[in-house]
Amino acid sequence: MAGKPKLHYTKGRGKMESIRWLLAAAGVEFEEEFIETKEDLEKLRNDGVLLFQQVPMVEMDGMRMVQTRAILSYIAAKYNLYGKDLKERAWIDMYVEGTTDLMGMIMYLPFQPADTKEKNLALIIERATTRYFPVYEKALKDHGQDYLVGNKLSWADVHLLEAILMAEECKPDILSAFPLLQAFKARISNIPTIKKFLQPGSQRKPPTDEKFVAVVRKIFNI
């Protein structure tokens, strides 16, 4: 299991996308083995490589890691994106949990019934602009630094940029009332490893469409 990390997941964003983002930000090349059918998933389960019978799963450093949060915190710690002490780590965790909540709402939107989508989209926009983005805008304003924690790039920054771009897919001008977040977005997007990941042809996945929703429902029997 030496060499590049190998990511096992479907050919879409889902819970693996934040893992792709963090590895890319750290400058780590990775391979992907896509689960494209129900049989692919069953094979992984039958081979006993999924600790809780679930994906994402990442083969890395001789481990088969599952549980998104555990994988992300391992990568963040390994590549020095997790703060310099326990207090910084706690702030990074808090910021990450906030963006995870927001991204979760966006992630599940395409899987919801058509008659509730409009209502849920409005809720996402309302939560983003009144509950989540004001927190990050205030954090940047209060300490006047380029990054959320410790004035160096951390997992919290990478996660926030991912959340911002997802929210902009819901409403392109969603950052209109947040000038510091607009500047943050431009700044973090220009970090060379992240800039590379944002280019066409990278391993970043496109927004979830109806075709992919159908594939996921078939694979996971939902």
Side-chain angles (χ1 to χ4, degrees):
M1 277 194 260
K4 294 178 186 176
K6 185 186 277 189
L7 281 49
H8 296 263
Y9 201 65
T10 56
K11 215 177 212 169
R13 288 184 182 176
K15 292 190 173 183
M16 186 64 91
E17 191 71 355
S18 292
I19 296 166
R20 297 182 186 110
W21 264 88
L22 199 57
L23 286 168
V28 179
E29 291 185 6
F30 57 88
E31 298 171 349
E32 299 192 78
E33 194 160 303
F34 294 116
I35 297 166
E36 300 188 70
T37 65
K38 199 172 178 178
E39 290 69 34
D40 292 341
L41 180 61
E42 283 306 311
K43 185 179 186 311
L44 282 176
R45 286 173 170 163
N46 293 335
D47 287 349
V49 299
L50 300 178
L51 194 62
F52 300 109
Q53 309 291 307
Q54 294 171 312
V55 288
M57 190 264 280
V58 174
E59 294 185 65
M60 185 176 180
D61 296 342
M63 295 186 289
R64 291 190 176 108
M65 290 191 285
V66 297
Q67 297 296 345
T68 312
R69 171 81 207 197
I71 297 166
L72 285 164
S73 56
Y74 179 85
I75 294 165
K78 176 169 175 144
Y79 295 104
N80 200 23
L81 295 166
Y82 211 177
K84 70 176 189 301
D85 55 31
L86 274 175
K87 282 189 177 178
E88 285 195 358
R89 188 166 289 199
W91 277 107
I92 289 167
D93 283 340
M94 285 191 279
Y95 289 144
V96 163
E97 289 296 325
T99 39
T100 298
D101 289 347
L102 176 60
M103 287 195 284
M105 293 173 73
I106 299 170
M107 194 189 305
Y108 292 117
L109 188 66
F111 293 88
Q112 290 167 356
D115 59 344
T116 64
K117 268 187 193 171
E118 202 172 312
K119 186 180 78 176
N120 286 315
L121 178 60
L123 180 62
I124 287 166
I125 292 163
E126 189 263 330
R127 288 274 170 86
T129 53
T130 64
R131 179 178 293 189
Y132 296 108
F133 290 162
V135 169
Y136 304 107
E137 183 82 3
K138 184 176 185 300
L140 292 166
K141 185 182 179 185
D142 286 352
H143 61 49
Q145 295 171 341
D146 286 350
Y147 305 103
L148 285 171
V149 180
N151 204 26
K152 73 186 288 283
L153 183 70
S154 76
W155 173 20
D157 301 303
V158 179
H159 219 240
L160 176 55
L161 178 60
E162 183 188 359
I164 286 170
L165 296 181
M166 286 175 74
E168 286 184 333
E169 289 168 355
C170 296
K171 188 175 189 288
D173 66 346
I174 201 162
L175 287 188
S176 59
F178 304 101
L180 296 180
L181 282 181
Q182 291 173 39
F184 171 90
K185 174 195 161 187
R187 202 163 51 240
I188 305 300
S189 295
N190 271 307
I191 291 169
T193 52
I194 293 173
K195 190 173 184 178
K196 185 180 174 187
F197 188 62
L198 291 172
Q199 299 303 311
S202 80
Q203 287 165 293
R204 186 181 179 215
K205 301 298 179 271
T208 300
D209 59 17
E210 286 182 19
K211 188 179 173 188
F212 183 66
V213 167
V215 169
V216 169
R217 289 193 189 282
K218 210 168 180 180
I219 293 171
F220 295 99
N221 205 21
I222 53 175

